Amino acid sequence: MRVEIWSDIACPWCYVGKARFEKALAAFPHRERVEVVHRSFELDPGRAKDDIQPVISMLTGKYGMSEAQAEAGEDNLGAQAAAEGLPYRTRGRDHGSTFDMHRLLHFAREQGRQVELLDLLYRANFAEERSVFDDDERLVELAGAAGLDTGAARGVLADPQAYADEVRADEREAAELGANGVPFFVLDRTYGVSGAQPAEVFARALTQAWGERPPLTPVDGDAEACGPDGCAVPQQ
Amino acid sequence: MRVEIWSDIACPWCYVGKARFEKALAAFPHRERVEVVHRSFELDPGRAKDDIQPVISMLTGKYGMSEAQAEAGEDNLGAQAAAEGLPYRTRGRDHGSTFDMHRLLHFAREQGRQVELLDLLYRANFAEERSVFDDDERLVELAGAAGLDTGAARGVLADPQAYADEVRADEREAAELGANGVPFFVLDRTYGVSGAQPAEVFARALTQAWGERPPLTPVDGDAEACGPDGCAVPQQ
């Protein structure tokens, strides 16, 4: 079974939801046969790369919250993260474009290092003091820690077209699948789970998707194939 | 869209069918958004690693063909391969266990080099004089040509447990999906195509799977999520 998770590095509920999903997955009897794929979704897709601002002032400016409301929201997220064992800095984080991080995650996927890089990006954005937005070398360093070649990662970041189509294709696909927020979980392209649900909901979704997989629809009859009894052209 | 192809390196119709599928894919308008994954299927799963024999004598011994029938079968396969532009040695090939090649293909997938390795293995088995069965170093060399680290590939081959579970999981999944021969193509876990069908059938399957994707079944309602309008707990 394959689980695709649309998410953004700048999305706190994605960070929390991923931990809740992983708790369910760890207890799922068929966990060894579940493949997890990250898909790109930007919450703030038009944002310029050099447009960086503190999270609290982004919240008050973009969504018209008071500073107290914004801080209360961050405190709630910090508590929810803590409940999942995740570190979370409720004050002093930055907000900015995540496009380059998604491009880097597609490169990492090709190199078999996507899981590692995604975890490091979340951790760096939500829990570490140094910003992930103001310096490409910060991302190069995280790519290296994820096991990627740092020279190749620097090359991806320096070329704004590299993996850009892959990011946009993921985003188009999210829209086609009906996702208008993240995290958004898709199991074998059959079941959808929206949001940072409790682990119990993810457990139910995994069980349901595993147990109730509809049979494949055959396209045309059989053709030349090989099986335990040899290679033959079937009689149709 | 994702297309999973169950196949065996020792399966001539898989080699031919892959080329036919790729012809259809090259002409498919959404080809950039199609991901192709190799899945393991052994035609001869119990075969010992040191049990190597000429293909013609395997065909006469295992399937009770006359030598003339076996040779005619190989000649037909050679002609079908040639029609797809593929080289094929109709005489002198070996048959043996492909388990180690499938293990190596799973390692290659993790490293983002599965497509390259699969093509090289097919080519080596069907078109090159040197056997792929009698020497691990032959596989190490092909792994290196596919861009893999040769030391790591040698390590995978030397450890019979490495990626063995992944191979068996693919084979179990093939059985669960109803495949009893290969090649077997599964599009988004929804449509199945069996055998080395003509390119037209693959074209139809791609179009059908792309255009008629059933909507996702939602598991539970919405939960905490972030969208263009901020991060919130939806009212349910």
Side-chain angles (χ1 to χ4, degrees), chain A residues 2 13 33 35 63 109-110 112 172 176 181-182 189-192 195-197 204 213 216-221 223-224 226 229-230, chain B residues 2 13 33 35 63 109-110 112 172 176 180-182 189-192 194-197 204 213 216-217 219-221 224 226 229-230:
Chain A
R2 186 167 71 146
W13 288 119
R33 294 177 62 192
E35 179 200 3
Y63 303 123
R109 183 166 181 221
E110 274 191 8
R172 205 161 48 227
E176 288 166 5
V182 283
R189 288 286 163 119
T190 309
Y191 293 90
Q197 302 275 2
R204 196 181 333 131
R213 286 190 281 184
L216 297 176
T217 303
V219 177
D220 251 52
E224 299 91 338
C226 301
D229 299 324
Chain B
R2 186 167 71 146
W13 288 119
R33 294 177 62 192
E35 179 200 3
Y63 303 123
R109 182 164 182 223
E110 275 191 7
R172 204 160 50 228
E176 288 166 5
N180 40 37
V182 282
R189 289 286 164 119
T190 308
Y191 293 90
S194 181
Q197 301 273 3
R204 195 180 334 131
R213 287 191 281 183
L216 297 175
T217 303
V219 177
D220 251 53
E224 299 91 339
C226 301
D229 299 324

Short mmCIF file of all heavy atoms in Angstrom, two decimals, chain A residues 2 13 33 35 63 109-110 112 172 176 181-182 189-192 195-197 204 213 216-221 223-224 226 229-230, chain B residues 2 13 33 35 63 109-110 112 172 176 180-182 189-192 194-197 204 213 216-217 219-221 224 226 229-230:
data_model
loop_
_atom_site.label_atom_id
_atom_site.label_comp_id
_atom_site.label_asym_id
_atom_site.label_seq_id
_atom_site.Cartn_x
_atom_site.Cartn_y
_atom_site.Cartn_z
N ARG A 2 0.38 2.27 -0.67
CA ARG A 2 1.14 3.51 -0.71
C ARG A 2 0.32 4.63 -0.10
O ARG A 2 -0.85 4.80 -0.43
CB ARG A 2 1.49 3.87 -2.15
CG ARG A 2 2.41 5.08 -2.21
CD ARG A 2 3.02 5.25 -3.58
NE ARG A 2 2.03 5.67 -4.55
CZ ARG A 2 2.32 6.49 -5.57
NH1 ARG A 2 3.54 6.93 -5.73
NH2 ARG A 2 1.39 6.84 -6.42
N TRP A 13 0.22 21.99 11.40
CA TRP A 13 -0.64 20.80 11.53
C TRP A 13 -0.10 19.62 10.72
O TRP A 13 -0.41 18.47 11.00
CB TRP A 13 -2.09 21.11 11.15
CG TRP A 13 -2.79 21.96 12.19
CD1 TRP A 13 -3.32 23.19 12.00
CD2 TRP A 13 -3.03 21.62 13.56
NE1 TRP A 13 -3.87 23.65 13.17
CE2 TRP A 13 -3.70 22.71 14.15
CE3 TRP A 13 -2.72 20.51 14.36
CZ2 TRP A 13 -4.09 22.73 15.49
CZ3 TRP A 13 -3.12 20.52 15.69
CH2 TRP A 13 -3.78 21.62 16.24
N ARG A 33 4.72 -3.11 4.67
CA ARG A 33 4.30 -3.08 3.26
C ARG A 33 3.63 -1.75 2.90
O ARG A 33 2.94 -1.66 1.89
CB ARG A 33 3.38 -4.28 2.98
CG ARG A 33 4.17 -5.60 3.11
CD ARG A 33 3.31 -6.79 2.92
NE ARG A 33 2.74 -6.82 1.58
CZ ARG A 33 1.76 -7.64 1.22
NH1 ARG A 33 1.24 -8.48 2.11
NH2 ARG A 33 1.29 -7.61 0.00
N GLU A 35 4.30 2.11 1.90
CA GLU A 35 5.31 3.07 1.42
C GLU A 35 4.72 4.47 1.60
O GLU A 35 3.58 4.71 1.24
CB GLU A 35 5.58 2.78 -0.05
CG GLU A 35 6.57 3.71 -0.70
CD GLU A 35 6.46 3.72 -2.23
OE1 GLU A 35 5.56 3.04 -2.77
OE2 GLU A 35 7.24 4.44 -2.85
N TYR A 63 -3.96 37.41 8.33
CA TYR A 63 -5.26 36.87 8.73
C TYR A 63 -6.03 37.79 9.68
O TYR A 63 -7.08 37.41 10.20
CB TYR A 63 -5.08 35.48 9.36
CG TYR A 63 -4.38 34.52 8.43
CD1 TYR A 63 -3.21 33.88 8.81
CD2 TYR A 63 -4.88 34.26 7.15
CE1 TYR A 63 -2.54 33.02 7.95
CE2 TYR A 63 -4.23 33.41 6.28
CZ TYR A 63 -3.07 32.78 6.69
OH TYR A 63 -2.42 31.94 5.83
N ARG A 109 13.92 12.69 -3.18
CA ARG A 109 13.16 11.48 -3.48
C ARG A 109 13.88 10.65 -4.53
O ARG A 109 14.00 9.43 -4.40
CB ARG A 109 11.75 11.84 -3.96
CG ARG A 109 10.94 10.58 -4.20
CD ARG A 109 9.48 10.82 -4.33
NE ARG A 109 8.85 9.53 -4.52
CZ ARG A 109 7.87 9.28 -5.38
NH1 ARG A 109 7.37 10.26 -6.09
NH2 ARG A 109 7.40 8.07 -5.48
N GLU A 110 14.36 11.30 -5.57
CA GLU A 110 15.12 10.59 -6.61
C GLU A 110 16.34 9.88 -6.04
O GLU A 110 16.80 8.88 -6.57
CB GLU A 110 15.61 11.59 -7.67
CG GLU A 110 14.61 11.87 -8.74
CD GLU A 110 15.24 12.65 -9.89
OE1 GLU A 110 16.48 12.83 -9.92
OE2 GLU A 110 14.48 13.09 -10.74
N GLY A 112 16.49 8.70 -2.99
CA GLY A 112 16.13 7.80 -1.90
C GLY A 112 16.34 8.41 -0.52
O GLY A 112 16.52 7.68 0.46
N ARG A 172 -1.03 20.61 -8.47
CA ARG A 172 -2.18 20.45 -9.37
C ARG A 172 -2.95 19.18 -8.99
O ARG A 172 -4.17 19.16 -8.96
CB ARG A 172 -1.68 20.36 -10.80
CG ARG A 172 -2.68 20.79 -11.83
CD ARG A 172 -2.01 21.13 -13.16
NE ARG A 172 -1.07 20.09 -13.58
CZ ARG A 172 0.18 20.34 -14.02
NH1 ARG A 172 0.64 21.56 -14.05
NH2 ARG A 172 0.96 19.34 -14.39
N GLU A 176 -6.85 18.43 -7.94
CA GLU A 176 -7.68 17.45 -8.65
C GLU A 176 -8.28 16.42 -7.69
O GLU A 176 -9.37 15.90 -7.93
CB GLU A 176 -6.85 16.73 -9.72
CG GLU A 176 -6.52 17.60 -10.93
CD GLU A 176 -5.43 17.01 -11.82
OE1 GLU A 176 -4.99 15.87 -11.57
OE2 GLU A 176 -5.02 17.71 -12.76
N GLY A 181 -6.59 21.97 1.74
CA GLY A 181 -5.76 22.27 2.89
C GLY A 181 -4.87 21.07 3.16
O GLY A 181 -5.06 19.99 2.57
N VAL A 182 -3.91 21.24 4.02
CA VAL A 182 -2.99 20.16 4.35
C VAL A 182 -2.82 20.06 5.87
O VAL A 182 -3.08 21.03 6.57
CB VAL A 182 -1.62 20.37 3.67
CG1 VAL A 182 -1.69 20.01 2.20
CG2 VAL A 182 -1.07 21.77 3.87
N ARG A 189 -4.61 5.77 -3.58
CA ARG A 189 -5.46 6.58 -4.45
C ARG A 189 -6.94 6.22 -4.32
O ARG A 189 -7.73 6.42 -5.25
CB ARG A 189 -5.01 6.43 -5.92
CG ARG A 189 -3.68 7.15 -6.20
CD ARG A 189 -3.91 8.64 -6.24
NE ARG A 189 -2.66 9.39 -6.11
CZ ARG A 189 -2.20 10.23 -7.05
NH1 ARG A 189 -2.84 10.39 -8.17
NH2 ARG A 189 -1.09 10.90 -6.84
N THR A 190 -7.30 5.70 -3.18
CA THR A 190 -8.67 5.23 -2.98
C THR A 190 -9.33 5.95 -1.80
O THR A 190 -10.46 6.40 -1.89
CB THR A 190 -8.67 3.71 -2.74
OG1 THR A 190 -7.94 3.08 -3.79
CG2 THR A 190 -10.09 3.16 -2.73
N TYR A 191 -8.61 6.06 -0.68
CA TYR A 191 -9.16 6.70 0.50
C TYR A 191 -8.42 8.00 0.78
O TYR A 191 -7.21 8.09 0.57
CB TYR A 191 -9.04 5.78 1.72
CG TYR A 191 -9.91 4.55 1.60
CD1 TYR A 191 -9.43 3.38 1.02
CD2 TYR A 191 -11.23 4.57 2.04
CE1 TYR A 191 -10.23 2.26 0.88
CE2 TYR A 191 -12.04 3.46 1.90
CZ TYR A 191 -11.55 2.31 1.33
OH TYR A 191 -12.35 1.22 1.19
N GLY A 192 -9.15 9.00 1.26
CA GLY A 192 -8.55 10.28 1.60
C GLY A 192 -8.78 10.62 3.06
O GLY A 192 -9.87 10.39 3.58
N GLY A 195 -6.47 16.46 7.19
CA GLY A 195 -6.11 17.11 8.44
C GLY A 195 -5.33 16.23 9.41
O GLY A 195 -5.11 15.05 9.18
N ALA A 196 -4.91 16.88 10.50
CA ALA A 196 -4.12 16.21 11.54
C ALA A 196 -5.06 15.42 12.45
O ALA A 196 -5.24 15.75 13.62
CB ALA A 196 -3.32 17.24 12.33
N GLN A 197 -5.64 14.38 11.91
CA GLN A 197 -6.60 13.56 12.66
C GLN A 197 -5.89 12.85 13.82
O GLN A 197 -4.68 12.65 13.79
CB GLN A 197 -7.19 12.49 11.73
CG GLN A 197 -7.91 13.03 10.51
CD GLN A 197 -9.36 13.39 10.77
OE1 GLN A 197 -9.84 13.28 11.91
NE2 GLN A 197 -10.05 13.84 9.75
N ARG A 204 -7.73 3.54 11.55
CA ARG A 204 -8.92 3.04 10.87
C ARG A 204 -8.77 3.14 9.36
O ARG A 204 -9.14 2.23 8.61
CB ARG A 204 -10.15 3.83 11.35
CG ARG A 204 -11.44 3.14 11.01
CD ARG A 204 -12.69 3.92 11.44
NE ARG A 204 -12.46 4.77 12.58
CZ ARG A 204 -12.83 6.06 12.63
NH1 ARG A 204 -13.45 6.63 11.60
NH2 ARG A 204 -12.59 6.78 13.70
N ARG A 213 -9.66 -3.18 -0.34
CA ARG A 213 -9.20 -2.73 -1.65
C ARG A 213 -10.09 -3.32 -2.73
O ARG A 213 -10.23 -4.53 -2.83
CB ARG A 213 -7.74 -3.16 -1.85
CG ARG A 213 -6.81 -2.29 -1.02
CD ARG A 213 -5.38 -2.52 -1.39
NE ARG A 213 -4.85 -3.73 -0.79
CZ ARG A 213 -3.58 -4.10 -0.90
NH1 ARG A 213 -2.75 -3.39 -1.62
NH2 ARG A 213 -3.15 -5.19 -0.31
N LEU A 216 -9.05 -4.94 -9.15
CA LEU A 216 -8.62 -4.17 -10.31
C LEU A 216 -9.64 -4.32 -11.44
O LEU A 216 -10.26 -5.38 -11.60
CB LEU A 216 -7.27 -4.68 -10.82
CG LEU A 216 -6.09 -4.56 -9.87
CD1 LEU A 216 -4.86 -5.21 -10.50
CD2 LEU A 216 -5.80 -3.10 -9.53
N THR A 217 -9.79 -3.28 -12.22
CA THR A 217 -10.61 -3.35 -13.43
C THR A 217 -9.68 -3.77 -14.57
O THR A 217 -8.73 -3.07 -14.88
CB THR A 217 -11.20 -1.96 -13.75
OG1 THR A 217 -11.96 -1.53 -12.63
CG2 THR A 217 -12.07 -2.02 -14.99
N PRO A 218 -9.93 -4.93 -15.20
CA PRO A 218 -9.02 -5.35 -16.28
C PRO A 218 -9.24 -4.51 -17.54
O PRO A 218 -10.37 -4.20 -17.89
CB PRO A 218 -9.39 -6.82 -16.51
CG PRO A 218 -10.76 -6.98 -15.95
CD PRO A 218 -11.00 -5.89 -14.95
N VAL A 219 -8.16 -4.13 -18.19
CA VAL A 219 -8.23 -3.46 -19.48
C VAL A 219 -7.85 -4.49 -20.52
O VAL A 219 -6.72 -4.97 -20.54
CB VAL A 219 -7.26 -2.25 -19.53
CG1 VAL A 219 -7.28 -1.61 -20.91
CG2 VAL A 219 -7.61 -1.24 -18.46
N ASP A 220 -8.80 -4.87 -21.36
CA ASP A 220 -8.60 -5.92 -22.37
C ASP A 220 -8.36 -7.29 -21.72
O ASP A 220 -8.26 -7.41 -20.51
CB ASP A 220 -7.43 -5.58 -23.29
CG ASP A 220 -7.96 -5.21 -24.68
OD1 ASP A 220 -8.84 -4.34 -24.74
OD2 ASP A 220 -7.52 -5.82 -25.66
N GLY A 221 -8.31 -8.30 -22.56
CA GLY A 221 -8.09 -9.66 -22.07
C GLY A 221 -6.61 -9.92 -21.85
O GLY A 221 -5.82 -9.00 -21.74
N ALA A 223 -2.77 -11.30 -22.78
CA ALA A 223 -1.92 -11.28 -23.97
C ALA A 223 -0.70 -12.15 -23.67
O ALA A 223 -0.66 -12.81 -22.63
CB ALA A 223 -1.52 -9.86 -24.32
N GLU A 224 0.27 -12.14 -24.54
CA GLU A 224 1.47 -12.93 -24.34
C GLU A 224 2.07 -12.66 -22.97
O GLU A 224 2.33 -11.51 -22.62
CB GLU A 224 2.54 -12.61 -25.39
CG GLU A 224 2.14 -12.86 -26.81
CD GLU A 224 1.51 -11.65 -27.49
OE1 GLU A 224 1.01 -10.76 -26.77
OE2 GLU A 224 1.52 -11.62 -28.73
N CYS A 226 4.37 -14.70 -19.42
CA CYS A 226 5.09 -15.85 -18.89
C CYS A 226 4.58 -16.12 -17.49
O CYS A 226 4.35 -15.21 -16.71
CB CYS A 226 6.59 -15.57 -18.83
SG CYS A 226 7.33 -15.17 -20.42
N ASP A 229 4.07 -21.91 -15.79
CA ASP A 229 4.02 -22.98 -16.79
C ASP A 229 4.61 -22.60 -18.12
O ASP A 229 4.32 -23.22 -19.14
CB ASP A 229 2.57 -23.44 -16.98
CG ASP A 229 1.99 -23.98 -15.68
OD1 ASP A 229 2.75 -24.60 -14.93
OD2 ASP A 229 0.81 -23.73 -15.41
N GLY A 230 5.42 -21.55 -18.12
CA GLY A 230 6.09 -21.19 -19.36
C GLY A 230 5.55 -19.93 -19.97
O GLY A 230 4.68 -19.26 -19.39
N ARG B 2 0.52 6.48 -11.09
CA ARG B 2 1.61 5.55 -10.90
C ARG B 2 1.31 4.23 -11.60
O ARG B 2 0.22 3.68 -11.44
CB ARG B 2 1.84 5.28 -9.41
CG ARG B 2 3.07 4.42 -9.18
CD ARG B 2 3.49 4.42 -7.73
NE ARG B 2 2.56 3.68 -6.92
CZ ARG B 2 2.93 2.96 -5.84
NH1 ARG B 2 4.19 2.95 -5.47
NH2 ARG B 2 2.04 2.32 -5.14
N TRP B 13 8.60 -11.98 -22.47
CA TRP B 13 7.45 -11.13 -22.76
C TRP B 13 7.45 -9.87 -21.91
O TRP B 13 6.83 -8.86 -22.27
CB TRP B 13 6.14 -11.90 -22.60
CG TRP B 13 5.91 -12.90 -23.70
CD1 TRP B 13 5.80 -14.25 -23.57
CD2 TRP B 13 5.80 -12.63 -25.11
NE1 TRP B 13 5.62 -14.84 -24.79
CE2 TRP B 13 5.61 -13.87 -25.76
CE3 TRP B 13 5.84 -11.46 -25.87
CZ2 TRP B 13 5.47 -13.97 -27.14
CZ3 TRP B 13 5.68 -11.57 -27.25
CH2 TRP B 13 5.51 -12.81 -27.87
N ARG B 33 3.63 13.10 -15.82
CA ARG B 33 3.01 12.91 -14.50
C ARG B 33 2.77 11.43 -14.22
O ARG B 33 2.00 11.09 -13.33
CB ARG B 33 1.73 13.73 -14.39
CG ARG B 33 2.07 15.23 -14.43
CD ARG B 33 0.84 16.09 -14.38
NE ARG B 33 0.10 15.90 -13.15
CZ ARG B 33 -1.13 16.35 -12.96
NH1 ARG B 33 -1.74 17.01 -13.92
NH2 ARG B 33 -1.75 16.14 -11.82
N GLU B 35 4.50 7.96 -13.02
CA GLU B 35 5.67 7.38 -12.37
C GLU B 35 5.62 5.86 -12.58
O GLU B 35 4.57 5.25 -12.40
CB GLU B 35 5.61 7.69 -10.87
CG GLU B 35 6.74 7.12 -10.06
CD GLU B 35 6.40 7.03 -8.56
OE1 GLU B 35 5.26 7.37 -8.18
OE2 GLU B 35 7.28 6.62 -7.81
N TYR B 63 9.24 -27.99 -19.55
CA TYR B 63 7.92 -27.89 -20.17
C TYR B 63 7.65 -28.99 -21.20
O TYR B 63 6.63 -28.95 -21.89
CB TYR B 63 7.75 -26.51 -20.82
CG TYR B 63 7.95 -25.39 -19.82
CD1 TYR B 63 8.89 -24.40 -20.04
CD2 TYR B 63 7.20 -25.34 -18.64
CE1 TYR B 63 9.09 -23.38 -19.13
CE2 TYR B 63 7.39 -24.32 -17.73
CZ TYR B 63 8.34 -23.35 -17.96
OH TYR B 63 8.53 -22.35 -17.06
N ARG B 109 16.14 0.96 -6.24
CA ARG B 109 14.99 1.86 -6.11
C ARG B 109 15.24 2.86 -4.98
O ARG B 109 14.97 4.05 -5.13
CB ARG B 109 13.73 1.04 -5.83
CG ARG B 109 12.53 1.96 -5.74
CD ARG B 109 11.21 1.27 -5.84
NE ARG B 109 10.19 2.29 -5.78
CZ ARG B 109 9.07 2.19 -5.08
NH1 ARG B 109 8.81 1.10 -4.42
NH2 ARG B 109 8.22 3.19 -5.06
N GLU B 110 15.74 2.36 -3.86
CA GLU B 110 16.05 3.25 -2.74
C GLU B 110 17.05 4.33 -3.14
O GLU B 110 17.05 5.41 -2.58
CB GLU B 110 16.68 2.45 -1.59
CG GLU B 110 15.67 1.82 -0.68
CD GLU B 110 16.33 1.28 0.58
OE1 GLU B 110 17.54 1.52 0.80
OE2 GLU B 110 15.65 0.60 1.33
N GLY B 112 17.26 5.58 -6.15
CA GLY B 112 16.81 6.33 -7.32
C GLY B 112 17.43 5.86 -8.63
O GLY B 112 17.53 6.62 -9.59
N ARG B 172 3.95 -11.50 -3.08
CA ARG B 172 2.69 -11.76 -2.38
C ARG B 172 1.62 -10.80 -2.90
O ARG B 172 0.47 -11.18 -3.12
CB ARG B 172 2.91 -11.54 -0.88
CG ARG B 172 1.95 -12.26 0.01
CD ARG B 172 2.49 -12.41 1.42
NE ARG B 172 2.97 -11.15 1.96
CZ ARG B 172 4.15 -10.97 2.56
NH1 ARG B 172 4.97 -11.98 2.74
NH2 ARG B 172 4.50 -9.80 3.01
N GLU B 176 -2.10 -11.34 -4.55
CA GLU B 176 -3.30 -10.69 -4.02
C GLU B 176 -4.05 -9.90 -5.08
O GLU B 176 -5.27 -9.78 -5.04
CB GLU B 176 -2.93 -9.76 -2.86
CG GLU B 176 -2.53 -10.51 -1.59
CD GLU B 176 -1.85 -9.62 -0.56
OE1 GLU B 176 -1.77 -8.39 -0.77
OE2 GLU B 176 -1.39 -10.16 0.45
N ASN B 180 -1.18 -14.04 -12.21
CA ASN B 180 -0.51 -15.35 -12.18
C ASN B 180 0.51 -15.49 -13.30
O ASN B 180 1.04 -16.56 -13.54
CB ASN B 180 -1.52 -16.50 -12.17
CG ASN B 180 -2.67 -16.20 -13.09
OD1 ASN B 180 -2.46 -15.60 -14.16
ND2 ASN B 180 -3.87 -16.58 -12.70
N GLY B 181 0.78 -14.40 -13.97
CA GLY B 181 1.82 -14.37 -14.98
C GLY B 181 2.30 -12.94 -15.13
O GLY B 181 1.68 -12.01 -14.58
N VAL B 182 3.40 -12.77 -15.84
CA VAL B 182 3.95 -11.43 -16.05
C VAL B 182 4.31 -11.25 -17.53
O VAL B 182 4.49 -12.25 -18.22
CB VAL B 182 5.20 -11.20 -15.16
CG1 VAL B 182 4.78 -10.90 -13.73
CG2 VAL B 182 6.18 -12.37 -15.22
N ARG B 189 -3.44 1.46 -8.89
CA ARG B 189 -4.12 0.41 -8.13
C ARG B 189 -5.60 0.26 -8.49
O ARG B 189 -6.41 -0.23 -7.70
CB ARG B 189 -3.98 0.66 -6.61
CG ARG B 189 -2.57 0.42 -6.12
CD ARG B 189 -2.26 -1.06 -6.07
NE ARG B 189 -0.84 -1.34 -5.97
CZ ARG B 189 -0.27 -2.00 -4.97
NH1 ARG B 189 -1.01 -2.43 -3.98
NH2 ARG B 189 1.01 -2.24 -4.97
N THR B 190 -5.93 0.67 -9.70
CA THR B 190 -7.33 0.67 -10.12
C THR B 190 -7.54 -0.20 -11.36
O THR B 190 -8.46 -1.00 -11.42
CB THR B 190 -7.80 2.12 -10.40
OG1 THR B 190 -7.48 2.92 -9.27
CG2 THR B 190 -9.29 2.18 -10.65
N TYR B 191 -6.66 -0.04 -12.34
CA TYR B 191 -6.79 -0.80 -13.58
C TYR B 191 -5.63 -1.78 -13.70
O TYR B 191 -4.51 -1.48 -13.30
CB TYR B 191 -6.78 0.15 -14.79
CG TYR B 191 -8.01 1.02 -14.84
CD1 TYR B 191 -8.03 2.27 -14.23
CD2 TYR B 191 -9.17 0.59 -15.49
CE1 TYR B 191 -9.16 3.07 -14.24
CE2 TYR B 191 -10.31 1.39 -15.51
CZ TYR B 191 -10.30 2.62 -14.88
OH TYR B 191 -11.43 3.40 -14.91
N GLY B 192 -5.91 -2.95 -14.27
CA GLY B 192 -4.88 -3.96 -14.47
C GLY B 192 -4.77 -4.32 -15.94
O GLY B 192 -5.77 -4.46 -16.64
N SER B 194 -2.81 -7.21 -18.33
CA SER B 194 -2.05 -8.45 -18.22
C SER B 194 -1.38 -8.80 -19.54
O SER B 194 -2.04 -8.83 -20.59
CB SER B 194 -3.03 -9.57 -17.82
OG SER B 194 -2.34 -10.78 -17.69
N GLY B 195 -0.08 -9.01 -19.50
CA GLY B 195 0.65 -9.48 -20.67
C GLY B 195 1.24 -8.38 -21.53
O GLY B 195 1.03 -7.19 -21.30
N ALA B 196 2.02 -8.83 -22.53
CA ALA B 196 2.69 -7.90 -23.45
C ALA B 196 1.71 -7.45 -24.52
O ALA B 196 1.82 -7.78 -25.69
CB ALA B 196 3.90 -8.58 -24.08
N GLN B 197 0.75 -6.66 -24.10
CA GLN B 197 -0.29 -6.17 -25.01
C GLN B 197 0.31 -5.25 -26.06
O GLN B 197 1.37 -4.67 -25.86
CB GLN B 197 -1.34 -5.38 -24.21
CG GLN B 197 -2.02 -6.17 -23.10
CD GLN B 197 -3.22 -6.96 -23.58
OE1 GLN B 197 -3.53 -6.96 -24.77
NE2 GLN B 197 -3.89 -7.66 -22.68
N ARG B 204 -4.77 2.90 -24.37
CA ARG B 204 -6.15 2.98 -23.90
C ARG B 204 -6.21 2.90 -22.37
O ARG B 204 -6.96 3.63 -21.72
CB ARG B 204 -6.97 1.84 -24.53
CG ARG B 204 -8.45 2.06 -24.39
CD ARG B 204 -9.30 0.94 -25.01
NE ARG B 204 -8.63 0.23 -26.09
CZ ARG B 204 -8.56 -1.09 -26.17
NH1 ARG B 204 -9.12 -1.84 -25.24
NH2 ARG B 204 -7.95 -1.67 -27.18
N ARG B 213 -10.60 8.34 -13.08
CA ARG B 213 -10.23 8.03 -11.70
C ARG B 213 -11.40 8.28 -10.77
O ARG B 213 -11.95 9.39 -10.72
CB ARG B 213 -9.03 8.90 -11.29
CG ARG B 213 -7.77 8.41 -11.96
CD ARG B 213 -6.54 9.07 -11.37
NE ARG B 213 -6.35 10.41 -11.90
CZ ARG B 213 -5.32 11.18 -11.59
NH1 ARG B 213 -4.42 10.75 -10.72
NH2 ARG B 213 -5.19 12.37 -12.11
N LEU B 216 -11.95 9.99 -4.33
CA LEU B 216 -11.48 9.38 -3.09
C LEU B 216 -12.64 9.16 -2.14
O LEU B 216 -13.59 9.95 -2.09
CB LEU B 216 -10.47 10.29 -2.40
CG LEU B 216 -9.18 10.59 -3.16
CD1 LEU B 216 -8.35 11.60 -2.38
CD2 LEU B 216 -8.38 9.31 -3.39
N THR B 217 -12.57 8.10 -1.36
CA THR B 217 -13.52 7.87 -0.29
C THR B 217 -12.98 8.53 0.97
O THR B 217 -11.90 8.16 1.44
CB THR B 217 -13.68 6.36 -0.03
OG1 THR B 217 -14.08 5.74 -1.25
CG2 THR B 217 -14.70 6.09 1.06
N VAL B 219 -12.23 9.27 4.76
CA VAL B 219 -12.28 8.56 6.04
C VAL B 219 -12.42 9.64 7.11
O VAL B 219 -11.54 10.46 7.29
CB VAL B 219 -10.99 7.75 6.26
CG1 VAL B 219 -11.01 7.07 7.63
CG2 VAL B 219 -10.81 6.71 5.16
N ASP B 220 -13.54 9.66 7.79
CA ASP B 220 -13.85 10.69 8.78
C ASP B 220 -13.99 12.08 8.16
O ASP B 220 -13.74 12.28 6.99
CB ASP B 220 -12.79 10.72 9.88
CG ASP B 220 -13.38 10.17 11.17
OD1 ASP B 220 -13.94 9.05 11.13
OD2 ASP B 220 -13.32 10.85 12.20
N GLY B 221 -14.39 13.03 8.94
CA GLY B 221 -14.55 14.41 8.47
C GLY B 221 -13.22 15.14 8.49
O GLY B 221 -12.16 14.53 8.53
N GLU B 224 -7.93 19.37 12.16
CA GLU B 224 -7.04 20.52 12.14
C GLU B 224 -6.19 20.50 10.87
O GLU B 224 -5.52 19.50 10.60
CB GLU B 224 -6.10 20.51 13.35
CG GLU B 224 -6.79 20.60 14.68
CD GLU B 224 -7.11 19.23 15.29
OE1 GLU B 224 -7.17 18.24 14.54
OE2 GLU B 224 -7.29 19.19 16.52
N CYS B 226 -4.16 23.29 7.69
CA CYS B 226 -3.78 24.62 7.24
C CYS B 226 -4.14 24.75 5.77
O CYS B 226 -3.94 23.83 4.99
CB CYS B 226 -2.29 24.86 7.42
SG CYS B 226 -1.72 24.69 9.13
N ASP B 229 -6.27 30.11 3.90
CA ASP B 229 -6.82 31.08 4.85
C ASP B 229 -6.33 30.88 6.28
O ASP B 229 -6.96 31.33 7.23
CB ASP B 229 -8.35 31.03 4.81
CG ASP B 229 -8.87 31.38 3.44
OD1 ASP B 229 -8.26 32.25 2.78
OD2 ASP B 229 -9.85 30.76 3.00
N GLY B 230 -5.24 30.14 6.42
CA GLY B 230 -4.67 29.99 7.75
C GLY B 230 -4.85 28.59 8.29
O GLY B 230 -5.36 27.69 7.61
#
